[in-house]
Amino acid sequence: MGRKDKLIKRLITIPKDFTFEEMQTLLELLGFKLNNKGKTSGSRVKFSKGRTIIILHKPHPRKELLEYQIKQIIELLTEEGMI
């Protein structure tokens, strides 16, 4: 089982400790490109792949994503047939 498969398996369990860095790695392995609009974007980042766009806020001071964020991303990736 590769890194991408392990991250997908972990994601769909909706863990409380899924970090932004893990999500970034997974999205990049799925072919998404990170666009944070330069130094003035603050904590908001955009991942895009074709017409599919995911906008996330980098969590701070914590590193873990919130449950609703994980659920929304699972729903979107499922609809797009990526997981």
Side-chain angles (χ1 to χ4, degrees):
M1 182 182 296
R3 187 174 182 192
K4 178 172 74 171
D5 294 328
K6 287 179 183 177
L7 283 172
I8 290 172
K9 186 175 180 180
R10 181 164 149 67
L11 175 70
I12 60 176
T13 66
I14 310 173
K16 301 257 186 236
D17 61 345
F18 202 84
T19 65
F20 178 84
E21 287 77 20
E22 287 176 299
M23 184 63 73
Q24 180 177 351
T25 300
L26 175 59
L27 292 174
E28 288 174 350
L29 288 170
L30 290 170
F32 283 84
K33 301 288 182 204
L34 172 65
N35 178 3
N36 65 358
K37 299 183 182 179
K39 294 180 181 180
T40 61
S41 71
S43 63
R44 193 171 89 189
V45 295
K46 178 170 53 170
F47 295 91
S48 59
K49 178 181 179 182
R51 293 184 177 176
T52 306
I53 296 173
I54 297 173
I55 298 175
L56 282 175
H57 282 85
K58 285 184 183 178
H60 52 83
R62 68 187 188 290
K63 295 181 181 199
E64 297 79 24
L65 295 173
L66 298 174
E67 184 177 342
Y68 83 91
Q69 293 172 306
I70 294 172
K71 287 181 178 180
Q72 287 177 344
I73 292 171
I74 291 171
E75 182 180 337
L76 178 76
L77 294 177
T78 303
E79 286 174 5
E80 295 292 325
M82 295 181 192
I83 61 170

